């Protein structure tokens, strides 16, 4: 039970800090060139069912997931909203998988220190509040390591 409470506290802290950076820095207002030039184009091609011009720069799983999720949102850019929501959802299994891997190979104290570092790492926060596929790939990769550990 104590383990689940620690994971829950870590998730709440990660969400709080991420929300703070999201609201303070206004990342929702400025999608990157990679998003506009690659991800958005790929998702729009999938949504239009015109697979003849499907770009091949990205792994297809992420754009297909975004195209399905973007139908749930409306507004100026539903794909952007879907990508941000997906990244916020994926941070939960990401930290759970990280905990599983770290606790398998590290002591309890070092596991806590590694999770704390991962939680406060600017790059982790940036990948969560950035509408790109890094957190998707990181969550998938870390989940595979957790299943093998």
């Amino acid at each position: 039970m104590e383990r689940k409470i620690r994971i829950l506290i870590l998730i709440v802290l990660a969400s709080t800090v991420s929300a703070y950076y999201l609201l303070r820095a206004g990342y929702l207002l400025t999608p990157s060139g990679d998003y506009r030039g690659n991800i958005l184009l790929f998702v729009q091609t999938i949504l239009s069912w015109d697979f003849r011009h499907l770009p091949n720069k990205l792994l297809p799983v992420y754009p297909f997931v975004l195209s399905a999720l973007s139908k749930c949102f409306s507004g100026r850019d539903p794909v952007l909203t879907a990508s941000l929501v997906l990244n916020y959802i994926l941070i939960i299994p990401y930290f759970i998988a990280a905990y599983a891997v770290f606790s398998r190979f590290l002591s309890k104290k070092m596991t806590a220190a590694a999770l704390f570092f991962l939680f406060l790492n600017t790059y982790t926060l940036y990948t969560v509040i950035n509408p790109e596929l890094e957190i998707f790939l990181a969550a998938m990769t870390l989940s595979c390591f957790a299943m093998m550990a």
Side-chain angles (χ1 to χ4, degrees):
M1 187 65 168
E2 181 180 310
R3 178 179 170 181
K4 290 181 181 179
I5 291 173
R6 286 183 183 177
I7 291 172
L8 182 62
I9 289 171
L10 184 67
I11 291 168
V12 168
L13 288 174
S15 299
T16 304
V17 171
S18 296
Y20 169 76
Y21 280 104
L22 179 66
L23 295 173
R24 186 165 186 265
Y27 282 110
L28 285 173
L29 304 175
T30 56
S32 69
D34 189 32
Y35 166 77
R36 288 188 302 264
N38 295 322
I39 297 170
L40 183 60
L41 179 65
F42 203 130
V43 173
Q44 287 172 339
T45 304
I46 293 168
L47 289 173
S48 69
W49 290 88
D50 184 15
F51 296 107
R52 295 173 296 155
H53 305 291
L54 198 61
N56 57 0
K57 288 184 176 181
L58 298 172
L59 296 172
V61 177
Y62 185 69
F64 276 101
V65 170
L66 282 184
S67 64
L69 279 178
S70 67
K71 295 177 183 179
C72 300
F73 301 100
S74 61
R76 208 172 93 199
D77 192 353
V79 177
L80 177 64
T81 306
S83 66
L84 292 171
V85 168
L86 179 64
N87 285 351
Y88 271 101
I89 291 170
L90 286 176
I91 196 66
I92 296 169
Y94 175 75
F95 275 116
I96 291 171
Y99 178 80
V101 171
F102 292 161
S103 65
R104 170 76 170 92
F105 298 104
L106 301 173
S107 67
K108 287 184 178 185
K109 189 180 268 188
M110 291 307 293
T111 297
L115 284 174
F116 186 70
F117 171 78
L118 189 64
F119 165 70
L120 289 181
N121 189 343
T122 308
Y123 185 70
T124 304
L125 295 174
Y126 179 73
T127 56
V128 172
I129 59 176
N130 191 3
E132 300 189 16
L133 71 140
E134 279 82 3
I135 198 69
F136 182 79
L137 293 175
M140 285 179 31
T141 304
L142 207 51
S143 296
C144 290
F145 285 139
M147 287 189 278
M148 291 188 308

